[in-house]
Amino acid sequence: PVADEFYKTEYKNEKKYIVSAGRLIKSKNFEMLISAFAAIAGQYPKEKLIIYGEGDNRSRLERLIAKSGLSDRIRLSGRTDDMAQKLQDAKIFVLPSLYEGMPNVLMEAMALGIPSIATDCPCGGPKLLLGNGNAGILVQNGNEQQMADAISALIEDQELRQRYSEKAVQRAKDFKCNKICEEWLELFLNILGKVD
């Protein structure tokens, strides 16, 4: 389940940040996200990319950011214990992973109503969470051009952001603690033969 704080935090859809989060490791594929953002940054001079997390890949990502010439617009902001407040500043959330199970941070962004983009990666968690693209944009795993196009689409189209925001909030009701607990209880009762 997603913590209640993500449902209680007010999301303000007037921010300028594109946000991502996760361990700074190869499988999270922040290299692709940085490159996709760099490819479109000239078209959107007010947009900034913030990545939360720490990991072994930090120095490599810092070099990639410096090489892009966008050190003033792409920030590695380290770990945070207050993800709900950090996500509140996001216009768009992006999950560029090469593979994921059931990514908590995507569920948290959806609970806040942030229009989200994720790679359609194995084991299929993002596809399941986004309802096969109904509650957010799915891009082909590892496809930098599709990622750049998806970010551009959400930057440019406020109505599209609003639609995905509303769909995400609706979908995220399935991640609430009481809903998840009810499903576990039903499973256990089924196993025990207490439910028809």
Side-chain angles (χ1 to χ4, degrees), residues 31-115:
E31 291 93 338
M32 183 189 73
L33 175 56
I34 290 166
S35 296
F37 179 77
I40 61 170
Q43 300 170 54
Y44 311 106
K46 294 183 179 179
E47 303 295 339
K48 294 183 179 179
L49 171 62
I50 300 175
I51 300 170
Y52 293 97
E54 280 298 343
D56 296 340
N57 228 14
R58 175 179 263 279
S59 58
R60 180 176 173 166
L61 296 176
E62 286 172 340
R63 288 192 299 273
L64 183 59
I65 292 166
K67 186 178 176 183
S68 75
L70 294 168
S71 296
D72 58 332
R73 295 178 54 199
I74 304 175
R75 192 166 70 225
L76 300 178
S77 290
R79 288 179 51 87
T80 179
D81 293 324
D82 195 6
M83 201 67 227
Q85 289 300 317
K86 301 301 184 189
L87 284 172
Q88 187 181 26
D89 291 333
K91 175 191 281 187
I92 299 165
F93 178 79
V94 184
L95 186 83
S97 301
L98 292 169
Y99 55 87
E100 284 284 352
M102 195 63 71
N104 287 351
V105 70
L106 178 57
M107 292 163 54
E108 292 162 354
M110 293 173 72
L112 271 163
I114 301 169

Side-chain angles (χ1 to χ4, degrees), residues 113-131:
I114 301 169
S116 297
I117 301 165
T119 49
D120 186 10
C121 59
C123 301
K127 186 177 202 172
L128 178 67
L129 295 174
L130 294 177

Side-chain angles (χ1 to χ4, degrees), residues 154-167:
L154 287 181
I155 289 171
E156 292 180 9
D157 193 337
Q158 185 174 357
E159 287 184 14
L160 184 63
R161 290 198 309 273
Q162 184 62 35
R163 187 161 72 247
Y164 279 132
S165 176
E166 290 168 3
K167 295 275 190 184

Side-chain angles (χ1 to χ4, degrees), residues 160-191:
L160 184 63
R161 290 198 309 273
Q162 184 62 35
R163 187 161 72 247
Y164 279 132
S165 176
E166 290 168 3
K167 295 275 190 184
V169 167
Q170 189 64 32
R171 175 71 175 101
K173 290 178 181 177
D174 292 336
F175 317 148
K176 285 191 168 187
C177 189
N178 61 339
K179 170 91 168 152
I180 300 294
C181 289
E182 285 171 9
E183 289 177 1
W184 275 108
L185 180 59
E186 184 178 343
L187 173 66
F188 293 144
L189 291 174
N190 271 320
I191 291 169

Side-chain angles (χ1 to χ4, degrees), residues 130-151:
L130 294 177
N132 201 23
N134 182 51
I137 299 177
L138 276 173
V139 301
Q140 185 180 26
N141 198 13
N143 192 320
E144 182 182 315
Q145 184 61 56
Q146 279 190 14
M147 179 65 75
D149 291 345
I151 294 169

